[in-house]
Amino acid sequence: MKQLVRTFALVFVAAFALMILTSYLNKSQGYSGGNTLTIYNWGDYIDPDLLTEFEEETGMKVIYQTFDSNEAMLTKIEQGGTTFDVAIPSEYAISKMKEENLLVALDHSKLPNLKNIDARFMNLSFDEDNKFSIPYFWGTVGVVFNPELVDGLTFESWNDLWDPRLKNQILLLDGAREVMGMGLNSLGYSLNDTNEDHLQEALTKLSTLTPNVRAIVGDEIKMLLANEEAAVGLVWSGDASEIMDENDKLDYMVPEEGSNLWFDNMVIPTTARNVEGAHQFINFMLDPDHAARNAEYVGYSTPNAAALELLPEDITEDERFYPDETLTGKLEVYDNLGKKMLSHYNDLFLEFKMHSK
Ligand code: N2P
């Protein structure tokens, strides 16, 4: 009898432990069953009320995880073991995921709201016919600065960041392509350059910026700049708009040598368990009201023409955040440089980070 009780107890404990373990694994691996939807997005990149509304409307439960760079997102999806239903990478990462067969072809008949996207953002070279990706936000990379803290300096060129008056005053976003791109652009090279001499030259140039670099940071860059903890930041345009909402002394500019124009898009990775729900979510985000509220909440520029109509004019007519084609035509979109070159960029960026500490 005692033996039986003990066996029972043991089986019970083991089953319980297994339950806890699976629930933990499901959470950490982004498991989605029929009624859950697992979303993998950049940090600070959605209005959380929209997730709640989506859950209420569909009865699905959203599991939400974030990343802070395309490289981190790619590594996680490439290594497998995840079950993300929707992810939101940028164009060069999408092109790489397509190459690696990591994306599900979309069923446009399930995305009637796709008609709301401005034709200017459709059918771009990284995904012709939008077979795998649907526009989410777009923008530029540039410099946010606080005119009161920069000792009369004005900003036009990347090279202005090297001014000794900016000692310890610059915050950089933590992105390999963005920081390497700044180094390359400041020398007049393309931010897609793969010439080894140019890349080394860019690294050397960047290492001379280190006296001015206060820190390389993630999403906290917005709080630090708004609180005037530093005078200058290398940021994505939408973060600049968010910072300027908090502190209207600050301004944003895109350097004259050129910079990056980027497009973030919703995709369904082949890891998805709920492809139907993923389409429902994408369509939900394409709704004009949802897209407008999302843009207002996160501060980024929407590619949704119908949503633009709903946004205040002081947002949509601000050329810094809704630049026209004359400016965007001078900017470069990141190319998919291939696995080897991308990891080389990462290594060079790491080397720079080590110098900056
Ligand atoms: C938001 C990140 C925006 C990503 N925190 C720009 N591609």
Side-chain angles (χ1 to χ4, degrees):
M1 185 64 190
K2 248 194 188 155
Q3 180 65 32
L4 197 68
V5 172
R6 208 179 302 145
T7 315
F8 245 127
L10 214 67
V11 169
F12 182 76
V13 169
F16 188 67
L18 196 68
M19 213 170 80
I20 305 261
L21 185 72
T22 18
S23 122
Y24 167 76
L25 281 179
N26 289 348
K27 277 200 192 103
S28 65
Q29 301 301 307
Y31 171 78
S32 331
N35 225 28
T36 58
L37 187 78
T38 307
I39 300 172
Y40 197 30
N41 193 4
W42 296 81
D44 287 353
Y45 215 32
I46 200 159
D47 175 352
D49 286 349
L50 290 169
L51 295 178
T52 316
E53 278 178 43
F54 177 76
E55 289 184 320
E56 284 165 4
E57 210 171 273
T58 60
M60 274 181 238
K61 159 121 191 56
V62 169
I63 300 171
Y64 192 77
Q65 289 187 33
T66 60
F67 55 84
D68 52 18
S69 69
N70 281 299
E71 289 64 34
M73 181 275 319
L74 276 169
T75 309
K76 182 117 181 181
I77 292 188
E78 282 166 353
Q79 79 195 4
T82 56
T83 55
F84 299 119
D85 296 305
V86 177
I88 310 195
S90 312
E91 64 303 303
Y92 69 98
I94 291 172
S95 140
K96 189 155 186 277
M97 292 171 94
K98 265 169 53 179
E99 250 169 44
E100 294 171 10
N101 293 322
L102 288 173
L103 298 179
V104 172
L106 301 171
D107 180 349
H108 284 205
S109 74
K110 295 191 171 142
L111 305 172
N113 286 332
L114 188 54
K115 63 173 186 303
N116 297 322
I117 298 290
D118 188 332
R120 178 177 165 202
F121 301 101
M122 295 288 289
N123 202 17
L124 299 178
S125 64
F126 58 90
D127 183 25
E128 276 159 28
D129 299 325
N130 294 84
K131 208 166 154 207
F132 297 98
S133 69
I134 302 296
Y136 184 69
F137 283 124
W138 67 284
T140 56
V141 168
V143 176
V144 77
F145 60 98
N146 187 331
E148 286 181 11
L149 300 180
V150 295
D151 203 9
L153 248 177
T154 53
F155 291 91
E156 271 142 39
S157 156
W158 285 116
N159 290 300
D160 294 329
L161 297 181
W162 272 258
D163 192 293
R165 282 173 285 180
L166 292 179
K167 186 162 169 22
N168 212 20
Q169 280 303 326
I170 302 179
L171 294 171
L172 299 178
L173 71 80
D174 192 2
R177 293 297 302 261
E178 287 80 359
V179 174
M180 284 302 295
M182 167 175 79
L184 288 161
N185 277 163
S186 75
L187 292 161
Y189 299 135
S190 158
L191 45 69
N192 291 310
D193 206 322
T194 56
N195 175 307
E196 187 53 25
D197 292 341
H198 295 172
L199 290 171
Q200 290 302 333
E201 216 182 305
L203 179 62
T204 309
K205 172 94 187 260
L206 284 172
S207 64
T208 62
L209 184 67
T210 52
N212 287 359
V213 177
R214 164 88 55 96
I216 302 173
V217 283
D219 284 325
E220 64 273 31
I221 198 165
K222 288 182 281 186
M223 191 258 298
L224 294 169
L225 288 161
N227 291 345
E228 309 193 354
E229 299 280 344
V232 179
L234 170 75
V235 294
W236 292 295
S237 48
D239 280 0
S241 127
E242 178 84 354
I243 296 164
M244 287 155 58
D245 254 3
E246 296 290 317
N247 184 335
D248 59 15
K249 283 187 227 152
L250 276 68
D251 200 357
Y252 176 72
M253 67 100 190
V254 175
E256 62 193 4
E257 298 89 344
S259 182
N260 168 235
L261 172 68
W262 54 263
F263 305 96
D264 290 345
N265 298 261
M266 298 179 273
V267 299
I268 306 182
T270 44
T271 55
R273 301 263 174 103
N274 187 359
V275 172
E276 179 60 39
H279 280 89
Q280 269 174 267
F281 178 77
I282 294 174
N283 196 50
F284 177 89
M285 295 311 292
L286 291 171
D287 171 83
D289 174 59
H290 299 157
R293 280 165 51 203
N294 202 29
E296 239 186 315
Y297 184 92
V298 300
Y300 276 82
S301 313
T302 181
N304 189 311
L308 271 189
E309 303 286 316
L310 305 175
L311 287 169
E313 278 183 4
D314 61 326
I315 294 185
T316 57
E317 278 173 12
D318 190 332
E319 284 263 310
R320 290 168 301 186
F321 304 116
Y322 283 92
D324 61 18
E325 272 142 303
T326 336
L327 174 67
T328 57
K330 293 187 199 143
L331 304 177
E332 287 180 288
V333 180
Y334 296 129
D335 287 342
N336 170 16
L337 301 176
K339 208 181 185 69
K340 250 177 94 193
M341 193 43 75
L342 198 58
S343 68
H344 188 42
Y345 265 65
N346 283 342
D347 291 345
L348 294 169
F349 177 53
L350 275 181
E351 215 175 312
F352 166 67
K353 273 178 149 178
M354 265 149 36
H355 284 303
S356 323
K357 293 243 161 83

